[in-house]
Amino acid sequence: MILGIFTKIRNTLYDIGFIPQIDSPYPIISIGNISVGGTGKTPSTIMIATLLREHGIDVSLLSSGYKRTGKGEIIVLKNNNLLSDISPQLVGDEVFLHAKTGLYKTVISNQPKYNSILSFSSTVLIDDGFQHRKIHRDLDIVLVNRNDLEDRLLPFGRLREPIHSLNRADIILCTDDTPEILIRPFMKQQALFARIAFIMGQPYTINGSSIHHNKQDGVMAISGIANPNRFLETLMNNGFLIQYHHWYEDHVRFTESDVINMCTEAVMHSCKRSEEHTSELQSRVDISYAVFCLK
């Protein structure tokens, strides 16, 4: 109730121009949502960056760097080059992942984001920017799913804003099979509705080596993301036999003890040849994110 009233007042003050916004000389595209995590903003942002680059448009990224240890503005990538001494812990694991894609001209991690908006010289994607209204944006893209329509505001649910806040969005990307007719009443008339799907690529080890996995061999699923059940569903839909799964908290920073426990659990639950990756995993526990398959 209180959050809803505060959000409405804040948005009204921005809408009428009482609270000024910061303009950039370059196009600003925000990719966000109205709930707390787990909607797929990061892969969607990477997809949009890929589409822009394919059309010859230079693109940069601005993010707060959730759970980072660094303070203030940190330039992660400049002129397509990753700067020295940059780590996932320092700038945020998602920011580091973006920087490693090779898609961006500049990547900056800062909180609050608006302090860095004038530091760019190309189109800027703001990862998780829908609530960050201090920056004027040229395009607002918002990801939604059925849970958003049925959820409640924090702290009783996972919504950051009421569902009718979708009327600020220019493009709605629906990440499940929710009928458009259920979402359209909350959208402004000229907004575009589109549906997207997350497709699993080729599994690979932490060091980047491809895995040619026999899907009949049982695996252990491990995640440190906000919506692990969708990850599990994706694996199962792609034919993987999940013997066991272990969900860590969102943006977990894995320790050596965690890695040892992973390998022990994998062996206990008869995951195929899990012990082969023990040394590789233990040598890489300094990273704060990992995508791997114990085979």
Side-chain angles (χ1 to χ4, degrees):
M1 182 70 175
I2 296 176
L3 177 61
I5 294 173
F6 171 79
T7 301
K8 183 176 181 179
I9 294 173
R10 176 176 180 269
N11 284 327
T12 299
L13 294 176
Y14 273 112
D15 291 340
I16 66 177
F18 185 83
I19 303 178
Q21 293 180 307
I22 298 176
D23 285 311
S24 168
Y26 299 95
I28 302 295
I29 302 173
S30 165
I31 300 94
N33 60 5
I34 59 171
S35 60
V36 180
T39 56
K41 291 187 300 295
T42 297
S44 297
T45 303
I46 291 173
M47 175 191 70
I48 293 167
T50 301
L51 292 173
L52 291 172
R53 286 297 303 271
E54 288 176 351
H55 285 81
I57 300 172
D58 284 338
V59 61
S60 296
L61 180 89
L62 173 60
S63 175
S64 61
Y66 183 63
K67 285 196 173 182
R68 66 180 181 146
T69 59
K71 304 298 182 182
E73 180 183 79
I74 301 178
I75 299 176
V76 182
L77 191 79
K78 188 173 183 180
N79 295 324
N80 306 102
N81 294 314
L82 187 67
L83 300 188
S84 60
D85 300 323
I86 294 298
S87 67
Q89 295 95 331
L90 182 69
V91 301
D93 54 1
E94 289 177 345
V95 176
F96 190 80
L97 175 63
H98 279 291
K100 295 287 284 184
T101 63
L103 293 170
Y104 302 100
K105 180 178 180 180
T106 303
V107 173
I108 295 179
S109 177
N110 200 2
Q111 178 63 24
K113 298 184 184 79
Y114 64 81
N115 283 336
S116 293
I117 197 61
L118 298 180
S119 300
F120 296 94
S121 59
S122 67
T123 297
V124 181
L125 301 184
I126 304 180
D127 188 4
D128 195 13
F130 191 54
Q131 287 75 38
H132 197 77
R133 299 202 60 189
K134 187 67 175 177
I135 300 173
H136 170 79
R137 67 287 311 276
D138 299 278
L139 194 65
D140 254 317
I141 301 173
V142 179
L143 280 69
V144 299
N145 55 42
R146 186 180 296 273
N147 290 335
D148 295 334
L149 302 181
E150 302 169 350
D151 212 338
R152 303 171 66 189
L153 286 171
L154 294 167
F156 305 105
R158 295 176 57 83
L159 293 184
R160 302 172 176 180
E161 297 189 59
I163 188 68
H164 60 72
S165 293
L166 293 178
N167 63 15
R168 300 201 316 269
D170 302 296
I171 299 176
I172 296 292
L173 296 181
C174 182
T175 61
D176 59 16
D177 59 357
T178 304
E180 179 181 352
I181 192 172
L182 296 182
I183 301 175
R184 180 58 67 175
F186 304 105
M187 300 167 54
K188 59 185 176 184
Q189 186 174 1
Q190 67 271 33
L192 173 68
F193 178 90
R195 200 178 303 280
I196 61 174
F198 298 101
I199 300 173
M200 182 174 175
Q202 173 64 39
Y204 55 89
T205 64
I206 289 178
N207 64 12
S209 303
S210 295
I211 294 176
H212 300 288
H213 176 68
N214 182 350
K215 292 183 179 180
Q216 299 306 310
D217 291 336
V219 299
M220 174 179 172
I222 301 167
S223 78
I225 57 177
N227 189 355
N229 289 329
R230 186 172 64 192
F231 169 56
L232 180 62
E233 183 179 343
T234 299
L235 290 174
M236 296 174 66
N237 288 343
N238 281 270
F240 285 88
L241 176 61
I242 308 301
Q243 295 285 92
Y244 180 70
H245 61 77
H246 189 150
W247 302 152
Y248 290 83
E249 66 178 7
D250 193 18
H251 295 273
V252 63
R253 185 171 301 162
F254 292 109
T255 65
E256 183 174 356
S257 176
D258 290 328
V259 173
I260 293 172
N261 288 339
M262 292 178 198
C263 297
T264 300
E265 289 173 341
V267 172
M268 288 175 56
H269 294 276
S270 302
C271 298
K272 187 70 173 181
R273 299 199 306 276
S274 57
E275 68 277 2
E276 292 185 8
H277 290 290
T278 302
S279 60
E280 177 189 345
L281 289 170
Q282 288 177 322
S283 68
R284 298 298 296 274
V285 296
D286 58 313
I287 67 173
S288 63
Y289 74 94
V291 179
F292 63 93
C293 176
L294 298 175
K295 65 174 183 175

